[in-house]
Amino acid sequence: MGSVTYRNGIAILQLIVFPFILVASIFIWRRTGLKVGSRIWRYPFTLSLLRIAGSICSLLTISNKSQRIYIAEAVCELIGIAPLLLTYIGVLRQIDIDEDIPPRSSRLITLITFIGLILGIAGVSTADDGNYKNGLTKGAMGIFLAVFVIYVLMAGWLWIRIYGMKRFQKKLYLAIALSLPFVLVRLVYSAIGDYTEISRFQLFGDNTVYLCMSVLEEIVAMVITMVLGTSAVLESDFVRLGSAQQSSEPKNEVV
């Protein structure tokens, strides 16, 4: 039986916080409609499951040093960026009740992010001797960085296009604005780890850097989003996406 390490303590922190984020995402999902909401709020739900699973794997290493457990922990850690980014792409979609951004564009960004996710999983799964930095994982990180830039441009475009925002839209925009710096730092941390040889930024490198630039960044960003997201869907002027589209011109929406 091994001892509890600094890394295990970080896992315990995630096990405490992410179940609350998971519950909040389910609540918002239900309020926005199970079918339409699934295109948006399933992503923080998925991120929470990944972080909980990764934390459990970390704690299992206390008594079991199996390489498979370390690989499972690495997979949960590295692919979590995809649902993190898709959460904010989804929030933009929730704001954009009049479809100023063509739905096809949002679906294309989602597809590109999933391609990055697949590359990331393949890169981690085929890694040798715990070296998770290879062409596939670097390619996945490049896709995630590009998606983030597109997301920021989309958010700016939507801000210009929407006039007389409803209260719920303002709260969701505030969630985006407040979370953006934390998501950026999270991506910078992973990018440095993937594209440089600085040991402190590697997957199992310096635990303090990992805590401050990855774990806490995700937690703060998601807590902000869940709190403001919950408040937004409880607003009296909240509009479900399906309701907004039905009240305007007829459109054939493709999932």
Side-chain angles (χ1 to χ4, degrees):
M1 183 73 178
S3 58
V4 177
T5 65
Y6 189 171
R7 187 83 176 196
N8 299 141
I10 295 173
I12 292 172
L13 172 63
Q14 291 179 301
L15 277 178
I16 293 171
V17 175
F18 276 100
F20 291 100
I21 296 174
L22 185 145
V23 171
S25 67
I26 294 174
F27 174 79
I28 299 173
W29 188 346
R30 289 175 60 88
R31 293 284 299 188
T32 56
L34 292 178
K35 183 178 180 180
V36 176
S38 68
R39 305 168 199 164
I40 301 169
W41 300 103
R42 64 185 173 187
Y43 298 117
F45 175 83
T46 302
L47 176 63
S48 299
L49 290 180
L50 285 172
R51 292 299 173 246
I52 291 170
S55 298
I56 292 173
C57 290
S58 178
L59 294 178
L60 287 175
T61 61
I62 296 175
S63 57
N64 188 338
K65 303 299 182 181
S66 170
Q67 184 64 24
R68 291 183 178 181
I69 296 179
Y70 283 106
I71 292 176
E73 181 184 358
V75 169
C76 291
E77 174 63 29
L78 294 176
I79 68 175
I81 296 178
L84 177 66
L85 290 174
L86 287 172
T87 294
Y88 293 100
I89 298 295
V91 171
L92 283 180
R93 190 173 184 179
Q94 187 77 68
I95 293 170
D96 188 19
I97 58 176
D98 295 322
E99 295 186 350
D100 288 300
I101 296 175
R104 188 170 296 178
S105 299
S106 297
R107 290 193 292 271
L108 179 60
I109 296 302
T110 300
L111 176 61
I112 293 172
T113 307
F114 272 111
I115 292 173
L117 174 63
I118 293 169
L119 289 177
I121 293 174
V124 175
S125 301
T126 58
D128 295 324
D129 300 324
N131 180 17
Y132 301 106
K133 185 164 58 176
N134 52 48
L136 291 174
T137 56
K138 289 179 180 179
M141 191 67 234
I143 289 175
F144 294 148
L145 291 172
V147 168
F148 177 77
V149 172
I150 294 171
Y151 151 70
V152 173
L153 293 175
M154 289 171 62
W157 167 254
L158 197 57
W159 176 266
I160 296 171
R161 293 285 297 176
I162 296 180
Y163 300 96
M165 286 193 295
K166 299 178 182 293
R167 289 192 301 274
F168 89 90
Q169 290 174 309
K170 291 179 181 179
K171 288 186 176 181
L172 291 177
Y173 249 118
L174 183 60
I176 286 175
L178 294 178
S179 300
L180 185 63
F182 299 100
V183 177
L184 176 59
V185 172
R186 171 68 180 90
L187 287 172
V188 168
Y189 168 80
S190 291
I192 294 175
D194 281 342
Y195 296 124
T196 74
E197 299 298 330
I198 304 175
S199 61
R200 299 178 66 187
F201 292 90
Q202 303 308 308
L203 181 59
F204 295 103
D206 188 286
N207 288 321
T208 299
V209 174
Y210 168 66
L211 173 64
C212 295
M213 293 188 68
S214 177
V215 175
L216 291 180
E217 305 301 317
E218 279 189 357
I219 287 176
V220 173
M222 293 307 299
V223 167
I224 289 172
T225 304
M226 292 300 103
V227 170
L228 289 172
T230 300
S231 179
V233 299
L234 291 175
E235 285 287 352
S236 59
D237 65 355
F238 176 72
V239 178
R240 292 187 179 188
L241 291 180
S243 302
Q245 292 155 7
Q246 290 170 11
S247 63
S248 60
E249 58 180 340
K251 296 179 181 178
N252 294 322
E253 176 158 345
V254 180
V255 177

